[in-house]
Amino acid sequence: MIPRFQTSLRIALALTATVLAHVAYGQDAAPAATTAPDAASALTPPKLVTFVDAIYPAAAKAARLQANVDLELTIDATGAVTSARVAAPVGNGFDEAALEAARRFVFEPAKRGDKAIPARIRYRYLFELAAEAAPLPTTGELEGKILSRSDNQGIAGALVTLSAEDGQPTRTAISDPSGAFHFSALPPGRFHVRLAASGLAPLAADEEVAAGELTSVTYRMEGAGKASAAATLEFGATATIEAPPREVTKRSLSGEELLRVAGTRGDPLKAIEYMPGVGRSPQAEFIIIRGSSPADSEVEFEGAPVYRLYHFGGLTSFVQPRLLDKIDLYPGNFSARFGRKMGGIIDVGVRDPKTDALHGMVDVNVVDSSFLFEGPLAKNWSFAVAAKRSYVDLFIDKLVPKDQAQITAAPVYWDYQAMLAYKPSSNDRFRAMVYGSYDDLKLILAHPADADPSIRGGVSSKTEFHRAQLTWQHKYNAAVEHEINLSTGPFSFGTSVGPDLAVQIPGYEGFLRSEWRARLTDRLRLLGGLDVSYNWFNFSYDGPRPTQIDGDPDSFGPLTGRQNVSLHHSYGFLRPAAYLEAIWQVAERLTLVPGARVDYLGDVDRWTFDPRLTGRYQLTATTILKGGVGLFSQAPSGADSLPVLGNPHLRPGRAQHYSLGVEQDLGTRLKVTADGFYKRLSDLTVNSPVPGENLNNDGIGRIYGGEVSAKLRPTAKSSGFVSYTLSRSERNDHGEGWRLFNWDQTHILTVAGAYRLGRGWDLSGTFRYVTGNPLTPVVGSVYNANTDTYKPIYGAINSDRSNAFHRLDLRVEKSWHVRSGSIAAYLDVQNAYDRHNEEGRAYNFDFTKTGVISGLPLLPSFGVRAEF
Amino acid sequence: MNPNTTRTIMTNTTTETSSSRTAGLLLLGLAGGILLAGCGPTFDPASLITTTRVLGARIEVEGAPERATPIPGETADVTWLVTSPEATPPLGWAFAVCMPGTVGGKTSLGCESAPLALFEGTASPPRIAISVPPVDVLGSATSLVLFGQICSGAGSMPIFDPQSGVPSCTGGDGTTTSVNIPLQLGDGANHNPTADRGFTFDGQTWPALAAGDDPCVVGPRASAGTKDHVIGNTTEGSDRELYTALLGDPPVATPERESLQISQFTTAGKLTSQFSFVEGTDDNAETTVDVTWEAPPTTEVPAAGLPVTFTFVVRDDRGGTDWTSRAACVVP
């Protein structure tokens, strides 16, 4: 409650009487006494009997001025004021007002003994304004405390932005050292509060302010106890859809965790490989989720699929890490929002630009350099621009032996992102973004490759895509909101290898998502929308007919001796989809999420219907049981549905997902999860044994296993997680019997941790153990006299296995605060104990000898980063 | 590519069936292979002859040996080139000729149907006379496959696993071999190229030795351990015939010119590459292809000198083959 203050004129009297030592005004001067006074001569000062209010000077009152006026009053024996003067003028009319009033004072005269005597006294007249009587209040106040979630300490310097629903100007405040902030004179109503602090996940909330009331709130921000310039990534670990979480299993890594994963050179997208349930491939861009083919999973970037997440097959990701807002992995039983895939989904999002001030970052390391600038542009507008470019091209020619190859266009990659955000009110949010990526490599081999003479002459690879994206989020009211996301842009893929392989695929693609989210009741929410994709491309292919890779060890064999085909045609196909999902809190502890999705796959002219159901049961305050079942459909990949190369009559692949799990909080920092999963696959695209039919749908598969993970909630000091997956992934082509899938990895163990030592030192490490991938042994070979090459004779498909992979990565970073920014130097060491992991098997020309190809040895990467 | 790592099969370096991804990954693997050449095992290069090796097969139409494409009803002689570091050991071989077949939708190098004929012998080099069936027997086949096993070592003969059909040898080493014999079904005949149009060694004319000549007496000489010896191989444009192929989408009759693939082998030292090419786009009447050879080290060269044999096998795009050899001497 706000205390009510009355404002009125209140004059406080303070009487200071100085009894004069001698008599004035005709009193006979008494001879100085030389003896002690007796009761008959006792002196009594004058006593004010009648007080007169002074007229408060109008100008001083309007100006809320107050004053003390010292007066010298002469009082006769009758008690009347015969003379008054100002001893020390104060001005502003106070002197005159005090004199006028004091002259009308009436005193009880001073006495010496019983005899009244005149006296002269000092009198202080006080002019003070009292609280005015207030009218009924029309405004309220909002005060709050911002605390760290980890240690409940106040967060200083946090920017608090207050936005009214009625379009009133946004107000801002900065939290004080205790984390407190205050807004006064707020019109009553609903306000949208946003908190932003360096190194912490932004927070948003809606608060109600009532007239005449003080609203007190407490917010807890996650990430750091103290704002740190070194921890600059701001993003949270939450899904874009409101809580409660709807997915059976969702793995998220926060900004703190992702930036600090050793072995990734500070690239959060490279940390995907370390997420629970994700397998390992020598090529990082092949993401293997719970035994699924890389082609069965998808990375969605701001609502649109991305086909090349990394430059040059895994070197570095295509987006500026510090723009990332979330990386959510759905290893199975994902929402009906996502479709056209049977494996898993990785949902990557970027944040809006910062609005508190202009910020920048420059990073220089041994491979590439990048920058990021962002900040406010105008009222309600903000921008961000980032770019990265490699400079491997500057020294690659010194690495490649000249007797092996001549680099004609050194490998180079670059990427860019630029965005504009406009938030005119708490109900609307607009964002326009352009981004793109480019990879290029050309070289001329000095000699044809041994054992594969088709690999000769010039080889090249070029990949680029560019997109423009518009996003609009609109809140109709507290219960209904709508989001539209449109992405479109050109792409181009091109590869050539000698005279026998040339591929060019320039094209254009577009993605539209229109999604409605409505809270019907406190227990029921609906989510529904349209998800449309369109592709047009000019397909030019001359080379060997590609085959399905899984289960066919010949698929990556030599080009020489293969039957070449040609296809030059333009294609365009539309894939619209509609989905609906309900988040239904059936009972206090039980939430069910039924959903369904309908897709039309224009490339194969097929409809699919995918019903899904997940559920979560809050067994105790710290234990959640969860489960899910669902159908998932997937169109044939890439060129599989094209004529000549594939089969236009292919059906979509299908998968059934089943999962059960439990989440258990142990204390405030530790969360343990355990999940069991089973996937049944059907209508898989496989090589056809029928002459004239390249591919058919005679493949089935099964994937089953369990995951256990334990995760420490990140604090200012530390973060970490441990995960272990035990699984089996098998396929059966044409009823030939079950065999291991190409990417079956029985054991996947990941241990990651990061610790802030203090004084700007940051240490992190990651250890990974992964079972080796299945291999098909070579049991002999056949000499092809037409090509002078040997063709291997294979044993049972995937009946052998490569050696297990394990590796330790370490990262150390030291940062210094410099004025309003920071500088950091980091060393990222991959393969710290120089393990010679098997990345492949090499054979001699006639397959009579074999040996292991090792992966990268100990690889240090040094860089420097400056931020403000 | 490091010539000592002649084949790489990367574990699960597989991708979507999108052709661009396949090709792109091949390129990445290739580029990575170049950069990581020191991270893999080291093998003897394929161009170094250290054991008895099969290096090619030449098809000659009986009565017209320059022609490599028999007409149905004709007889074609197939001669296999088998070489060794020193004298070729006794051979035992067996072959089957059959219609071409497919396995898993892909063209097979073996016999997937009942053989049309079987051959067995010990002659060195192996030479087989094949009677090409008439058109009514061939049906839609446009070629024949000759598949078999060549075993080296006295008394070693091929045997075939009754279950897998994979051949092997009773004793010693052997090579499973296959050659596809294109048939001439219309007007377009293919002719064998000529391998010996002239060679140079370090710029000097390099003739073939007469039978019985000692290369360390009459052949070119190189000191042990010396590098960058240039072997020049002259080819003629007439060896790269013009023909018409159905290419493109939709397929259209397209004039094409053969390219020449030259396989190069040596019994000692190191050649920079097993293969050289004269591409079909080369319109020159004469093209010289160079390959560099490094002499073996002193430790491998006896005091009297080390004779070194070089074998060159020339292939066109359409089944025509020829070969020749040269000899040199490495001195300490």
Side-chain angles (χ1 to χ4, degrees):
Chain A
M1 291 286 285
I2 302 173
R4 292 179 178 268
F5 293 94
Q6 300 289 328
T7 305
S8 63
L9 177 63
R10 182 181 67 176
I11 301 173
L13 288 174
L15 177 64
T16 305
T18 303
V19 177
L20 299 176
H22 58 275
V23 173
Y25 287 89
Q27 295 286 320
D28 293 339
T34 57
T35 58
D38 57 16
S41 62
L43 194 60
T44 306
K47 178 180 173 184
L48 184 61
V49 175
T50 301
F51 175 81
V52 177
D53 283 326
I55 298 175
Y56 209 104
K61 181 179 178 181
R64 305 288 294 171
L65 297 176
Q66 299 179 130
N68 300 331
V69 181
D70 289 330
L71 301 173
E72 189 175 278
L73 303 178
T74 302
I75 305 164
D76 64 12
T78 66
V81 174
T82 59
S83 162
R85 75 177 189 89
V86 176
V90 297
N92 293 309
F94 289 114
D95 304 319
E96 293 79 9
L99 283 173
E100 197 276 329
R103 288 188 181 110
R104 291 184 282 140
F105 284 171
V106 176
F107 287 89
E108 195 173 278
K111 290 180 180 176
R112 187 186 300 278
D114 293 329
K115 183 178 181 181
I117 58 172
R120 188 177 297 132
I121 63 170
R122 280 283 182 121
Y123 182 84
R124 175 167 287 176
Y125 206 103
L126 305 179
F127 289 88
E128 289 183 11
L129 290 172
E132 296 179 14
L136 286 174
T138 59
T139 62
E141 298 186 11
L142 174 69
E143 69 175 18
K145 272 252 184 173
I146 306 174
L147 305 177
S148 164
R149 183 183 289 276
S150 59
D151 56 11
N152 258 2
Q153 295 299 306
I155 295 175
L159 174 69
V160 185
T161 305
L162 207 61
S163 310
E165 282 188 335
D166 59 357
Q168 293 259 343
T170 300
R171 294 172 60 169
T172 61
I174 304 290
S175 61
D176 67 13
S178 69
F181 66 90
H182 185 96
F183 292 96
S184 60
L186 296 173
R190 184 181 177 85
F191 289 85
H192 188 67
V193 182
R194 283 185 61 85
L195 308 179
S198 179
L200 302 176
L203 211 57
D206 292 327
E207 306 296 344
E208 290 285 343
V209 172
E213 296 183 357
L214 171 66
T215 302
S216 293
V217 294
T218 301
Y219 300 115
R220 285 184 169 79
M221 298 185 76
E222 192 163 3
K226 297 178 183 178
S228 166
T232 57
L233 186 66
E234 284 186 1
F235 59 89
T238 58
T240 56
I241 309 301
E242 288 182 338
R246 304 167 304 118
E247 323 300 340
V248 178
T249 301
K250 180 172 75 106
R251 311 286 189 197
S252 298
L253 292 180
S254 70
E256 279 290 331
E257 294 168 294
L258 286 167
L259 268 188
R260 298 160 78 183
V261 175
T264 64
R265 296 195 299 115
D267 190 337
L269 284 178
K270 295 219 41 168
I272 289 175
E273 182 184 310
Y274 297 96
M275 296 176 93
V278 179
R280 190 196 171 266
S281 168
Q283 286 75 35
E285 71 176 85
F286 299 148
I287 299 172
I288 303 162
I289 301 176
R290 281 186 180 173
S292 297
S293 166
D296 290 352
S297 299
E298 185 168 84
V299 176
E300 289 226 344
F301 179 74
E302 285 295 317
V306 173
Y307 308 114
R308 285 287 174 93
L309 194 57
Y310 305 108
H311 293 290
F312 283 128
L315 202 57
T316 184
S317 67
F318 80 95
V319 66
Q320 165 57 239
R322 276 156 176 74
L323 284 177
L324 291 177
D325 183 49
K326 65 167 184 181
I327 299 177
D328 291 334
L329 164 68
Y330 304 103
N333 269 317
F334 41 84
S335 163
R337 300 181 72 240
F338 304 109
R340 311 186 191 105
K341 288 295 174 183
M342 298 187 295
I345 297 290
I346 296 176
D347 190 16
V348 180
V350 294
R351 58 174 174 81
D352 285 341
K354 296 180 183 177
T355 56
D356 58 328
L358 182 66
H359 295 271
M361 184 279 304
V362 176
D363 188 311
V364 177
N365 59 67
V366 296
V367 178
D368 56 40
S369 290
S370 61
F371 72 83
L372 165 66
F373 293 106
E374 60 178 324
L377 205 59
K379 183 182 175 185
N380 298 330
W381 290 86
S382 58
F383 82 100
V385 60
K388 181 194 314 126
R389 193 204 188 273
S390 67
Y391 30 74
V392 177
D393 49 329
L394 299 179
F395 56 83
I396 186 69
D397 58 339
K398 297 178 177 49
L399 296 180
V400 175
K402 290 206 170 27
D403 62 345
Q404 302 299 318
Q406 172 194 348
I407 304 288
T408 55
V412 63
Y413 62 81
W414 48 263
D415 59 64
Y416 64 90
Q417 304 90 46
M419 70 172 81
L420 269 180
Y422 175 55
K423 298 173 195 175
S425 70
S426 61
N427 291 334
D428 284 285
R429 171 179 164 269
F430 297 89
R431 186 168 74 188
M433 181 165 64
V434 292
Y435 60 94
S437 173
Y438 179 91
D439 289 49
D440 191 13
L441 163 67
K442 291 188 182 66
L443 52 87
I444 296 177
L445 295 176
H447 310 289
D450 281 3
D452 196 355
S454 287
I455 302 179
R456 66 181 188 268
V459 291
S460 68
S461 175
K462 181 177 170 183
T463 301
E464 64 176 310
F465 68 88
H466 309 275
R467 285 188 188 161
Q469 185 178 69
L470 293 176
T471 302
W472 176 45
Q473 282 179 329
H474 179 68
K475 283 185 182 178
Y476 289 89
N477 50 52
V480 180
E481 64 180 39
H482 183 209
E483 179 170 346
I484 296 178
N485 192 310
L486 173 66
S487 304
T488 187
F491 63 86
S492 178
F493 303 114
T495 298
S496 68
V497 179
D500 289 341
L501 177 65
V503 185
Q504 285 289 336
I505 312 176
Y508 204 86
E509 56 190 358
F511 308 94
L512 170 67
R513 183 185 290 274
S514 176
E515 183 170 287
W516 292 84
R517 300 185 275 265
R519 183 199 299 266
L520 300 184
T521 70
D522 285 345
R523 289 176 176 263
L524 180 62
R525 278 172 288 169
L526 286 183
L527 177 148
L530 296 175
D531 174 12
V532 183
S533 79
Y534 176 74
N535 267 267
W536 175 90
F537 53 94
N538 190 12
F539 194 91
S540 173
Y541 183 92
D542 296 284
R545 185 176 63 78
T547 61
Q548 292 298 296
I549 290 160
D550 174 50
D552 181 8
D554 248 354
S555 58
F556 202 62
L559 295 178
T560 303
R562 296 196 189 197
Q563 176 196 357
N564 279 8
V565 294
S566 292
L567 181 63
H568 301 274
H569 206 274
S570 295
Y571 299 94
F573 51 82
L574 188 67
R575 290 178 176 177
Y579 58 89
L580 182 65
E581 192 168 82
I583 303 102
W584 178 25
Q585 191 174 356
V586 177
E588 191 64 34
R589 298 186 179 198
L590 176 63
T591 300
L592 295 179
V593 183
R597 183 184 172 97
V598 175
D599 280 85
Y600 174 71
L601 305 172
D603 41 338
V604 291
D605 193 23
R606 298 268 183 172
W607 290 88
T608 63
F609 173 67
D610 293 336
R612 299 170 192 175
L613 174 67
T614 63
R616 294 173 69 87
Y617 181 75
Q618 187 88 38
L619 187 65
T620 69
T622 57
T623 308
I624 295 174
L625 301 178
K626 53 188 181 176
V629 60
L631 287 182
F632 300 81
S633 303
Q634 177 171 322
S637 303
D640 289 353
S641 60
L642 298 181
V644 180
L645 304 184
N647 183 353
H649 306 294
L650 286 175
R651 299 185 300 277
R654 304 279 283 171
Q656 303 167 22
H657 290 194
Y658 305 89
S659 58
L660 278 176
V662 59
E663 295 176 7
Q664 177 69 51
D665 284 327
L666 297 175
T668 57
R669 279 204 71 192
L670 187 62
K671 181 173 183 176
V672 177
T673 64
D675 293 280
F677 54 88
Y678 177 74
K679 295 183 185 178
R680 186 155 189 92
L681 314 177
S682 59
D683 287 336
L684 298 180
T685 300
V686 293
N687 296 323
S688 172
V690 177
E693 182 184 69
N694 298 328
L695 305 169
N696 64 26
N697 288 108
D698 284 352
I700 61 175
R702 62 188 183 194
I703 307 168
Y704 49 92
E707 279 170 17
V708 178
S709 67
K711 180 177 169 180
L712 278 177
R713 290 192 176 85
T715 67
K717 276 287 190 183
S718 63
S719 65
F721 66 90
V722 176
S723 72
Y724 170 70
T725 303
L726 174 69
S727 69
R728 175 58 57 105
S729 183
E730 297 171 323
R731 301 291 184 273
N732 184 340
D733 306 334
H734 314 292
E736 296 168 353
W738 291 103
R739 57 163 177 86
L740 290 179
F741 181 52
N742 270 20
W743 288 280
D744 173 76
Q745 295 172 347
T746 312
H747 307 282
I748 302 174
L749 171 67
T750 305
V751 181
Y755 189 75
R756 200 151 267 159
L757 299 170
R759 293 181 178 269
W761 287 96
D762 203 334
L763 186 64
S764 60
T766 307
F767 174 77
R768 202 123 207 263
Y769 176 93
V770 183
T771 305
N773 288 328
L775 289 175
T776 299
V778 174
V779 298
S781 64
V782 178
Y783 176 70
N784 184 342
N786 296 101
T787 60
D788 194 23
T789 58
Y790 285 79
K791 185 179 186 312
I793 299 173
Y794 295 103
I797 301 297
N798 290 340
S799 57
D800 195 1
R801 209 179 263 280
S802 61
N803 297 327
F805 169 96
H806 55 87
R807 191 178 84 185
L808 174 67
D809 301 326
L810 298 174
R811 178 182 174 91
V812 60
E813 180 171 307
K814 172 75 173 90
S815 60
W816 297 267
H817 294 291
V818 178
R819 292 188 179 179
S820 60
S822 70
I823 295 176
Y826 58 87
L827 176 66
D828 202 298
V829 180
Q830 290 187 28
N831 198 4
Y833 55 82
D834 200 25
R835 157 83 173 168
H836 291 193
N837 283 305
E838 179 179 343
E839 301 289 18
R841 295 271 172 90
Y843 292 85
N844 70 340
F845 67 94
D846 60 0
F847 295 91
T848 55
K849 298 176 185 173
T850 184
V852 169
I853 296 176
S854 299
L856 290 173
L858 188 152
L859 187 67
S861 175
F862 177 76
V864 177
R865 185 181 66 249
E867 299 177 82
F868 65 91
Chain B
M1 220 38 128
N2 186 329
N4 294 326
T5 305
T6 57
R7 176 170 303 275
T8 299
I9 294 181
M10 302 290 284
T11 307
N12 295 326
T13 53
T14 51
T15 177
E16 288 188 0
T17 54
S18 166
S19 307
S20 65
R21 282 204 166 196
T22 304
L25 185 60
L26 175 67
L27 177 65
L28 287 172
L30 174 64
I34 292 174
L35 292 175
L36 300 176
C39 298
T42 300
F43 304 116
D44 286 334
S47 57
L48 182 63
I49 305 296
T50 59
T51 60
T52 301
R53 294 263 300 270
V54 178
L55 300 185
R58 178 180 167 97
I59 305 161
E60 297 173 331
V61 175
E62 218 167 67
E66 71 282 2
R67 186 154 53 92
T69 48
I71 297 171
E74 289 184 323
T75 298
D77 295 323
V78 181
T79 304
W80 292 89
L81 173 60
V82 183
T83 187
S84 295
E86 295 177 357
T88 303
L91 303 177
W93 43 266
F95 285 92
V97 64
C98 50
M99 304 287 201
T102 60
V103 174
K106 289 181 275 187
T107 302
S108 170
L109 293 179
C111 274
E112 305 302 327
S113 60
L116 300 171
L118 297 173
F119 308 89
E120 190 178 70
T122 58
S124 179
R127 186 177 176 90
I128 298 129
I130 300 171
S131 296
V132 180
V135 173
D136 56 345
V137 174
L138 289 172
S140 60
T142 59
S143 65
L144 296 174
V145 172
L146 183 65
F147 174 79
Q149 182 83 1
I150 299 174
C151 303
S152 63
S156 179
M157 288 299 293
I159 54 173
F160 289 83
D161 186 298
Q163 286 189 332
S164 67
V166 174
S168 59
C169 298
T170 55
D173 296 328
T175 303
T176 307
T177 66
S178 172
V179 64
N180 185 278
I181 304 170
L183 304 176
Q184 180 180 341
L185 301 176
D187 296 331
N190 183 40
H191 299 85
N192 287 306
T194 300
D196 197 342
R197 296 289 191 186
F199 286 83
T200 60
F201 187 92
D202 285 341
Q204 303 299 313
T205 301
W206 192 15
L209 295 184
D213 279 352
D214 183 350
C216 285
V217 173
V218 298
R221 294 183 164 213
S223 297
T226 55
K227 300 180 180 182
D228 298 329
H229 295 284
V230 178
I231 298 171
N233 182 352
T234 301
T235 68
E236 290 188 2
S238 59
D239 287 321
R240 292 179 288 113
E241 297 178 284
L242 294 171
Y243 65 100
T244 300
L246 289 176
L247 298 176
D249 175 40
V252 294
T254 307
E256 285 282 293
R257 187 167 193 168
E258 292 175 337
S259 61
L260 286 185
Q261 174 184 308
I262 303 168
S263 300
Q264 300 137 166
F265 304 92
T266 180
T267 57
K270 189 187 298 183
L271 288 166
T272 52
S273 174
Q274 180 188 353
F275 299 105
S276 294
F277 278 85
V278 182
E279 302 291 351
T281 51
D282 187 327
D283 291 333
N284 295 318
E286 193 175 276
T287 301
T288 299
V289 176
D290 291 336
V291 63
T292 305
W293 174 72
E294 176 182 327
T298 307
T299 53
E300 297 179 14
V301 177
L306 177 69
V308 180
T309 301
F310 295 84
T311 306
F312 303 90
V313 182
V314 177
R315 294 174 172 85
D316 62 24
D317 293 333
R318 301 185 293 159
T321 306
D322 192 25
W323 53 74
T324 188
S325 65
R326 291 293 189 269
C329 183
V330 179
V331 296

